[in-house]
Amino acid sequence: MIKKKLGPASLLDTESILKDAQRELALPSRRLFAKRALTLGGLSLLTGCNITDEASVNRMLERISRMNDGVQGWLFDPKRLAPTYTQAEMTRPFPFNAYYGIEDVPDIDGSDYQLEILGLVTNKRPWTLEQLHKMPQNEQITRHICVEGWSAIGRWGGIPFSYFLKMIGADLNAKYIDFQCGDDYHTSIDMATALHPQTQLTLTYDGQILPPKYGFPMKLRMPTKLGYKNPKHIVSMEVTNKYPGGYWEDQGYNWFGGS
Ligand SMILES: Nc1nc2c(c(=O)[nH]1)N[C@H]1C(S)=C(S)[C@@H](COP(=O)(O)O)O[C@H]1N2
Ligand SMILES: [Mo]
């Protein structure tokens, strides 16, 4: 653990705080740092610390250093619900984010789309969008938190993921679910999160078919996880006991990514 010596509270040395946080997060390279600017705002969202003075900086660094997957998996309480909001509180426009610019959002044809199911599942038949839209749906208005330092409230509709997993006969004792996306993204989650009541196979945004920029034809929405754990443009999912990693996770982001 690093302890920082800082000057007066008003003179926080942002650069050196970020450098220490980067070291604690084990972010591997300058390349990643340049691509994903780590900000003080992002760090305070990630750790839940309001970074205002020397004591809070140390608290934040301590929290980051404790952020290893083992401890966070243990901290996870499947009964804890993320806060929900009213329609009036929605963020408009809801921000777009990806590892590329909005002009490169994948153009996926919904008419011949099929969601592929792989791994430890009894029923491996793929699902068309029409079939998915006929399944039971619910809605949530929740906050999406991105580690880059912004958060936004959106209204999402779709299939409760626990329902979907049971329906396809997924092995609910398996450890992980990996999601491959229509771009070159993938991320994976633990089974407890998959079964969380607010984890949703999302088909709509604000009552409309999910627009391409937010992940058409489908994303996984988890208000208990940071933005990068919420895969957009899902084309296949695999239930597995083999640790799958993910696009950002393989570059040093914390796998658990809880919020
Ligand atoms: N397929 C895919 N999913 C992704 C990403 C991506 O680049 N590709 N970026 C992640 C990150 S870091 C964030 S913050 C959210 C952004 O979702 P939004 O565009 O709906 O705000 O998508 C997540 N899921
Ligand atoms: Mo993000």
Side-chain angles (χ1 to χ4, degrees):
M1 226 331 270
I2 304 162
K3 280 263 181 246
K4 274 223 73 63
K5 269 258 172 293
L6 295 165
S10 57
L11 293 172
L12 285 179
D13 179 355
T14 307
E15 215 165 284
S16 83
I17 296 169
L18 290 177
K19 221 178 268 164
D20 284 345
Q22 184 190 23
R23 194 151 55 214
E24 291 287 353
L25 278 166
L27 296 180
S29 67
R30 285 246 176 83
R31 198 167 39 87
L32 172 65
F33 212 39
K35 236 170 152 183
R36 296 264 119 167
L38 199 56
T39 61
L40 272 192
L43 286 173
S44 66
L45 286 165
L46 179 66
T47 57
C49 297
N50 202 358
I51 302 165
T52 49
D53 54 19
E54 183 174 341
S56 63
V57 169
N58 282 331
R59 209 155 45 236
M60 185 264 309
L61 290 172
E62 228 162 82
R63 264 191 214 179
I64 288 179
S65 80
R66 270 193 272 116
M67 269 195 184
N68 70 68
D69 295 328
V71 177
Q72 287 203 19
W74 165 83
L75 274 178
F76 179 74
D77 176 357
K79 285 180 225 103
R80 212 191 86 202
L81 293 179
T84 56
Y85 300 86
T86 64
Q87 291 214 35
E89 292 171 296
M90 287 172 64
T91 306
R92 294 183 190 277
F94 193 88
F96 159 83
N97 195 28
Y99 66 88
Y100 43 78
I102 196 159
E103 63 286 353
D104 292 325
V105 167
D107 179 22
I108 295 178
D109 179 358
S111 62
D112 64 7
Y113 169 88
Q114 293 206 314
L115 172 66
E116 307 285 345
I117 309 288
L118 306 160
L120 307 169
V121 171
T122 334
N123 178 2
K124 289 211 181 71
R125 77 169 233 230
W127 297 90
T128 65
L129 264 187
E130 202 188 333
Q131 290 167 328
L132 292 167
H133 275 276
K134 283 189 185 140
M135 288 179 197
Q137 318 271 319
N138 65 11
E139 273 204 350
Q140 57 173 280
I141 303 179
T142 50
R143 186 185 294 278
H144 171 116
I145 301 173
C146 174
V147 71
E148 286 172 75
W150 55 270
S151 81
I153 296 169
R155 175 180 161 218
W156 310 102
I159 307 160
F161 196 49
S162 63
Y163 168 89
F164 184 75
L165 286 176
K166 287 170 196 157
M167 198 210 32
I168 63 175
D171 175 359
L172 303 182
N173 294 312
K175 286 193 182 140
Y176 310 106
I177 305 182
D178 183 48
F179 298 89
Q180 297 288 336
C181 305
D183 45 14
D184 279 326
Y185 199 82
H186 85 109
T187 187
S188 54
I189 61 170
D190 57 291
M191 187 58 78
T193 298
L195 296 172
H196 186 282
Q198 288 171 310
T199 296
Q200 181 193 69
L201 204 50
T202 302
L203 299 167
T204 67
Y205 166 74
D206 199 16
Q208 309 292 322
I209 296 291
L210 197 64
K213 61 182 172 181
Y214 301 146
F216 182 83
M218 154 189 351
K219 67 179 261 171
L220 195 75
R221 176 72 197 120
M222 294 171 288
T224 55
K225 292 284 175 208
L226 291 167
Y228 67 87
K229 301 296 292 180
N230 290 233
K232 305 194 286 187
H233 318 289
I234 300 172
V235 293
S236 75
M237 52 171 269
E238 179 178 6
V239 179
T240 176
N241 284 313
K242 203 176 140 254
Y243 174 70
Y247 182 92
W248 289 116
E249 293 86 339
D250 297 348
Q251 299 180 61
Y253 273 33
N254 178 266
W255 179 75
F256 193 78
S259 62

